[in-house]
Amino acid sequence: VVVPGLWLCLSFGCAASLSPSCLSAQFRRPGDFILGGLFPFGKDTVNLTTRSEPTLLLCERLFTEGLIWALGMRFAIDQINNSSSLLPGITLGYDMYDTCFEPLVALQPSLLFLTRNGTTGIGLLCDYTEYQPRVTAVIGPHKSDLCLVTAKLFSAFLIPQVSYGASSETLSNTELYPSFYRTVPSDKNLVDAMVLLLNQFGWNWIATVASDDEYGRGAQALFLSMVGTDNICIAFEGLIPTDLAEPSAKKQLENTVKLINSSKVNVVVLFAPSLPAQALLEHSIRMGLDKKVWIGTEAWMLSDIAASTPNIQSIGTVLGFAMRTGTVPGFQEYVAELFSSITQEEFCRQSRELSRLMNAEVLDTHCQQCGNVTLGDIWPMLRVTTVQPVQVAVYSVAHALHKALGCTTTACPKTPIRSWQLLHFMNTLPFEMNGQSFRFDQSHGTNTGYKLIFWAWRDGTLTHLPVGDYDQSLYILKSQIQFHTPDKKEPASECFRRCQPGQFRRIKGYNLCCYDCTDCSENSFLSSTESTSCSPCPRHQWAPARSTQCHDRSEKFLFWDEPLAVALVTLMALTAALSCVAALLFLKHLQTPLVQVAGGGRSLFALLWLLLQSLSCCLYVGRPSTTLCRVQQLSYALSLNGCFSTFVPKALEITLVTEFPRCAPRLLRWVTQGRAWLLVAVSCLTQVFLCLCHLRLGPDHLVADYESLPSEVLLVCGTQSWAAFALLHGYNSCLAFTCFLCTFMVQTPAKRYNVARGITFATLIYFVIWIFFVVIFATLRTVLRAVTQICTILATTLGILASYFMPKCYIMVFRPDLNTRDYCQNSTEEQLEEDRQ
């Protein structure tokens, strides 16, 4: 079965109707497969008698660009028809229509393409598998908003549609638009390149402006969604009108320029076609906007419309991305030959015959104002207009037809082809053109990469200078970019400065993108440059201020080689030596009256405990452990108890003799001689029992203190139970208080040694020291806690030695004449003598 007509439609934009009549008629050609096209001719959209010269010039440029795209399509068709291997035996025809940049206008030929082949009606069927429309595939339109309208129609019929200019990311949704393809990258790739550009120059305070159409709004929305994660802040975002004839268009453009100026940014990102972009740049120049860095897109960067704005050099620096495309060999020669043939009568006769074959009643495509375009008009645009995407679009369908028809290198069978049958080959088939390989990715697009273009002015002439390249990563030749600043270096555009390592961002003002850089405090670090606060270090680590990492803590305790520890150990040795000397003197003079008055052998017992008490200071030096922490308080309490236990019998003896003389004869035997030792033993055993209770209720334990010191972990012995602590030391306090009460009021006759006064001062010194010790010990959490305990032990030991034992040692060494029975007579003996008399 021979398919009578296989149609392929190309849709383009609209411009002024300036094409010559013969060339206009030649936009129709029959063939085995017809390629339809919609081009930006813009018939009747510009009234040449009422438009000013600048407006007419813009329309001419728009028309010329659309005409070049149409010629590029025809060039590709002629190449395919002249090829002996791609579609041998098959002739492609074409039928081109005008969209006028209007969705409703674009719908007219689109509906025509959907009609059943050979008719002007669209069949309403439940199953379109065997439905044969007038066209098999569609190329175009160029604009995204037109494609969003037409793609839904063609996707419903699964007719392949290949656009050579629509870049909206919305069209990447293959579920909504399963039959839509494009030969240009999507806006997502463009936005990725822009974000990398801004980051490389450190521009993080920018304005973004977009045209109020699908292309501008979609690209701007995509840009705004991506810059937030790259520390790029938007000072202003706005839209500019696409219909400049609207009454409010001028006011809207002026407001946009004022807002850009008030935001104090130095970089403006502009997503817009050439006409709205030219209008914004013109208003910026007229209103005296400061020079900026303008980052643009191919939609206006390569257009001669924006570059032709008067005094355009004063806007600042223009950078932008243009799709990386190859050249189309032979195209310029093809256009030159075509325009030379227009003047020949034979060409025009054939064109009129072809035009009569078309049904003008279905869709009028005749140009009403023609004959004004020459080769000289179109030749300058041939160097800047991108034609390769059009050629790739036509070739992609041709290669799909080649596979679908089962063509060989010599012939193609004449078999029926349905539109949906091409989709499989469009998705999977790579093809080559002019030595390059092309294929559609998962989103039905082709990502050929971008070139970074710089507007370079040389002798008043604009040159589009390539200064970089983007393909997943961005490479920039910064040395070739001359910015508008006096030193030709890139300007700063920052609401905030780049924070240094170890600094986090602190928001200031109403704008969340403006912040100050604040140093991280001690023991915190900045885990990531994206963080807005510092992270605390783990307990076992520390960090100095403004740090990016934590360090392990070193242990802190009272080391043996510390000067303070050395001084305390030296003082401990002196105290121990003093206790030994006193014990030796008491042992030597054990039978003298002075020693006997002091308690005799019990004094040696007390000095032995004072020696052990002073030596217990060694338990507080060095690395503490749980065992040492348990022993520290016990050793101190037991040693002090051993000393105070020897004072109790003497204190009770003095109290009985002085305060209770009548009871003294009966009770003195319980506190003197051998029974006094029994009292000492009972006191010591009681303290041992309390030590066991302390261990049971809550002994001191090793504490790793991470808060007291900034960079070290303090190892100290912490009090687990203050009740157990009070129970342990409270008994000694009771003994001392009992001794103090028994002795502080005792009066001794003149020229007699007062034994009671030594006990009074010893216990008084103990209480004074412990008042300070308890206050300091309960509040300290540093290594001085151990120092405090050592000082307390040594001060208590020295206080008892100085107040009770040293005066007696002085008498034994320097005043032996006082060591007599009369001067040191025991109060008990005096009481017994008085009883005898």
Side-chain angles (χ1 to χ4, degrees):
V1 179
V2 179
V3 180
L6 188 61
W7 296 75
L8 185 63
C9 163
L10 280 81
S11 302
F12 294 90
C14 171
S17 48
L18 302 172
S19 62
S21 56
C22 291
L23 187 60
S24 175
Q26 193 63 15
F27 278 18
R28 301 181 185 277
R29 174 183 292 178
D32 296 317
F33 299 92
I34 306 300
L35 308 184
L38 304 178
F39 287 93
F41 303 147
K43 298 176 294 299
D44 302 325
T45 58
V46 176
N47 190 334
L48 302 184
T49 61
T50 59
R51 295 293 185 181
S52 62
E53 183 62 28
T55 302
L56 180 59
L57 184 62
L58 294 178
C59 293
E60 290 175 349
R61 290 195 179 99
L62 283 173
F63 164 76
T64 304
E65 192 173 54
L67 180 60
I68 292 175
W69 288 330
L71 294 175
M73 186 207 91
R74 174 175 169 171
F75 175 67
I77 291 174
D78 286 347
Q79 280 187 321
I80 294 171
N81 288 338
N82 294 329
S83 172
S84 60
S85 59
L86 183 54
L87 291 176
I90 297 294
T91 302
L92 296 181
Y94 55 84
D95 186 9
M96 303 180 185
Y97 293 91
D98 187 2
T99 65
C100 294
F101 287 122
E102 289 292 337
L104 290 178
V105 177
L107 280 176
Q108 292 178 331
S110 298
L111 292 174
L112 178 63
F113 301 150
L114 295 176
T115 59
R116 191 186 297 271
N117 187 26
T119 69
T120 58
I122 301 177
L124 299 179
L125 306 175
C126 294
D127 184 2
Y128 284 89
T129 304
E130 300 299 326
Y131 185 79
Q132 182 65 57
R134 292 172 64 96
V135 300
T136 303
V138 178
I139 306 284
H142 177 266
K143 292 188 65 178
S144 296
D145 41 359
L146 298 185
C147 285
L148 287 172
V149 175
T150 59
K152 291 182 179 180
L153 283 176
F154 298 128
S155 293
F157 287 80
L158 292 182
I159 299 176
Q161 177 185 4
V162 187
S163 173
Y164 57 90
S167 59
S168 174
E169 180 64 17
T170 306
L171 293 166
S172 297
N173 191 335
T174 55
E175 293 184 359
L176 292 178
Y177 309 101
S179 65
F180 179 82
Y181 298 82
R182 54 181 159 202
T183 56
V184 294
S186 71
D187 287 335
K188 185 179 184 303
N189 298 287
L190 175 64
V191 169
D192 285 337
M194 284 188 168
V195 171
L196 290 176
L197 174 66
L198 295 172
N199 281 329
Q200 284 208 23
F201 284 106
W203 294 326
N204 51 40
W205 185 239
I206 65 172
T208 173
V209 181
S211 56
D212 193 6
D213 57 5
E214 177 59 33
Y215 164 72
R217 291 190 302 268
Q220 187 184 64
L222 188 63
F223 178 76
L224 294 175
S225 67
M226 296 183 64
V227 295
T229 59
D230 287 88
N231 293 332
I232 299 174
C233 302
I234 306 300
F236 166 74
E237 56 180 281
L239 297 174
I240 55 177
T242 55
D243 187 359
L244 302 179
E246 291 183 358
S248 60
K250 181 179 180 181
K251 184 66 175 179
Q252 189 173 348
L253 289 168
E254 291 177 351
N255 290 338
T256 300
V257 174
K258 291 179 182 178
L259 291 171
I260 293 174
N261 189 48
S262 63
S263 65
K264 301 186 182 304
V265 298
N266 288 327
V267 177
V268 181
V269 178
L270 178 57
F271 300 99
S274 54
L275 276 177
Q278 187 270 343
L280 179 64
L281 296 177
E282 183 180 5
H283 278 77
S284 301
I285 297 171
R286 182 174 58 82
M287 297 175 64
L289 184 67
D290 295 336
K291 291 184 177 181
K292 308 289 182 185
V293 176
W294 294 84
I295 299 178
T297 64
E298 187 174 7
W300 65 271
M301 274 286 302
L302 300 182
S303 173
D304 195 34
I305 295 175
S308 64
T309 305
N311 201 23
I312 189 64
Q313 299 94 325
S314 64
I315 65 170
T317 303
V318 178
L319 290 169
F321 290 94
M323 186 176 61
R324 190 169 53 198
T325 59
T327 59
V328 180
F331 178 64
Q332 293 185 358
E333 293 79 1
Y334 175 82
V335 173
E337 181 181 355
L338 180 62
F339 269 81
S340 64
S341 64
I342 291 176
T343 59
Q344 302 175 9
E345 179 60 28
E346 180 63 20
F347 179 89
C348 291
R349 185 188 62 79
Q350 294 178 0
S351 297
R352 287 191 289 269
E353 290 180 358
L354 292 173
S355 181
R356 282 196 296 268
L357 296 177
M358 302 300 298
N359 188 356
E361 296 180 356
V362 175
L363 194 64
D364 185 11
T365 59
H366 291 283
C367 178
Q368 303 298 325
Q369 298 172 337
C370 301
N372 296 322
V373 174
T374 64
L375 182 61
D377 297 326
I378 200 174
W379 193 259
M381 292 294 294
L382 287 175
R383 296 192 299 268
V384 296
T385 302
T386 303
V387 180
Q388 189 190 50
V390 179
Q391 191 181 28
V392 173
V394 176
Y395 267 83
S396 67
V397 176
H399 279 276
L401 282 172
H402 178 90
K403 284 293 183 180
L405 291 171
C407 298
T408 64
T409 57
T410 58
C412 286
K414 302 289 187 176
T415 58
I417 294 297
R418 301 293 183 262
S419 300
W420 56 268
Q421 292 176 312
L422 295 181
L423 296 181
H424 170 72
F425 302 103
M426 297 284 288
N427 291 334
T428 60
L429 177 68
F431 60 94
E432 290 190 0
M433 190 189 75
N434 299 329
Q436 289 183 268
S437 179
F438 298 92
R439 72 177 307 155
F440 296 107
D441 56 25
Q442 292 182 348
S443 60
H444 294 179
T446 57
N447 185 12
T448 57
Y450 292 93
K451 295 182 295 182
L452 179 62
I453 302 298
F454 167 61
W455 276 15
W457 295 93
R458 297 174 181 175
D459 299 329
T461 302
L462 173 63
T463 301
H464 297 111
L465 180 65
V467 293
D469 189 77
Y470 172 77
D471 188 4
Q472 306 302 324
S473 61
L474 180 62
Y475 172 72
I476 304 177
L477 296 173
K478 294 185 178 181
S479 59
Q480 297 189 18
I481 304 176
Q482 293 185 350
F483 290 91
H484 58 270
T485 54
D487 58 356
K488 305 301 181 183
K489 301 294 184 180
E490 66 266 17
S493 187
E494 300 175 317
C495 177
F496 57 87
R497 61 186 176 88
R498 294 286 179 182
C499 292
Q500 299 299 317
Q503 292 181 324
F504 70 95
R505 297 172 294 175
R506 175 168 291 176
I507 305 300
K508 64 177 181 179
Y510 67 92
N511 197 313
L512 298 180
C513 292
C514 293
Y515 51 78
D516 292 322
C517 293
T518 305
D519 294 344
C520 288
S521 60
E522 290 185 353
N523 291 329
S524 64
F525 70 104
L526 192 67
S527 58
S528 171
T529 55
E530 309 299 327
S531 300
T532 56
S533 62
C534 298
S535 303
C537 291
R539 290 187 62 190
H540 65 281
Q541 293 184 324
W542 75 284
R546 193 169 168 178
S547 179
T548 57
Q549 62 180 350
C550 296
H551 311 281
D552 291 333
R553 289 177 179 265
S554 59
E555 294 181 343
K556 179 63 176 176
F557 47 84
L558 189 60
F559 291 91
W560 284 98
D561 55 353
E562 286 188 42
L564 182 58
V566 173
L568 291 175
V569 171
T570 303
L571 181 60
M572 177 202 68
L574 294 175
T575 305
L578 191 60
S579 300
C580 291
V581 170
L584 291 175
L585 285 175
F586 270 70
L587 180 62
K588 181 180 180 181
H589 299 86
L590 183 61
Q591 301 304 324
T592 60
L594 183 60
V595 175
Q596 291 299 316
V597 169
R602 295 193 303 273
S603 297
L604 290 176
F605 186 77
L607 287 170
L608 176 62
W609 282 111
L610 290 179
L611 174 62
L612 294 176
Q613 180 172 285
S614 60
L615 294 177
S616 68
C617 293
C618 295
L619 300 175
Y620 298 91
V621 184
R623 190 184 189 281
S625 65
T626 302
T627 303
L628 284 177
C629 290
R630 290 172 176 263
V631 173
Q632 285 176 357
Q633 297 298 328
L634 300 181
S635 63
Y636 177 45
L638 284 173
S639 299
L640 190 60
N641 179 265
C643 179
F644 282 162
S645 296
T646 62
F647 289 168
V648 172
K650 177 57 67 176
L652 293 176
E653 178 186 346
I654 294 171
T655 302
L656 289 174
V657 172
T658 57
E659 301 297 332
F660 305 98
R662 294 183 180 182
C663 300
R666 299 194 313 270
L667 300 176
L668 280 175
R669 65 177 179 272
W670 294 99
V671 294
T672 59
Q673 302 305 321
R675 295 183 179 181
W677 283 102
L678 180 61
L679 189 60
V680 172
V682 171
S683 177
C684 291
L685 289 176
T686 302
Q687 185 63 51
V688 170
F689 174 75
L690 293 176
C691 289
L692 295 176
C693 293
H694 178 266
L695 292 175
R696 183 68 177 175
L697 294 177
D700 288 4
H701 61 291
L702 181 62
V703 176
D705 183 4
Y706 295 94
E707 285 77 26
S708 299
L709 301 178
S711 61
E712 298 166 308
V713 50
L714 177 63
L715 300 180
V716 293
C717 293
T719 302
Q720 183 175 350
S721 172
W722 284 102
F725 180 87
L727 185 65
L728 179 67
H729 294 284
Y731 180 64
N732 286 333
S733 300
C734 292
L735 293 180
F737 186 67
T738 301
C739 295
F740 178 78
L741 290 179
C742 293
T743 58
F744 85 101
M745 291 295 292
V746 174
Q747 297 294 329
T748 303
K751 298 182 180 180
R752 291 291 182 90
Y753 181 73
N754 192 342
V755 180
R757 196 62 60 233
I759 297 175
T760 302
F761 281 113
T763 55
L764 182 62
I765 291 173
Y766 164 78
F767 281 122
V768 172
I769 292 173
W770 260 78
I771 290 173
F772 287 101
F773 165 71
V774 171
V775 174
I776 297 174
F777 185 77
T779 56
L780 277 180
R781 295 290 295 173
T782 65
V783 74
L784 295 178
R785 187 183 176 101
V787 174
T788 301
Q789 290 189 279
I790 295 175
C791 292
T792 300
I793 293 172
L794 295 178
T796 304
T797 305
L798 290 173
I800 295 174
L801 288 172
S803 61
Y804 189 78
F805 293 100
M806 288 300 104
K808 299 173 178 58
C809 293
Y810 174 79
I811 292 175
M812 286 184 283
V813 176
F814 298 103
R815 296 295 303 273
D817 56 306
L818 297 179
N819 193 358
T820 63
R821 184 180 180 84
D822 293 335
Y823 185 76
C824 304
Q825 186 175 13
N826 195 320
S827 57
T828 305
E829 295 177 355
E830 292 180 357
Q831 183 64 34
L832 292 175
E833 290 178 0
E834 293 177 359
D835 293 340
R836 294 191 189 99
Q837 295 175 0

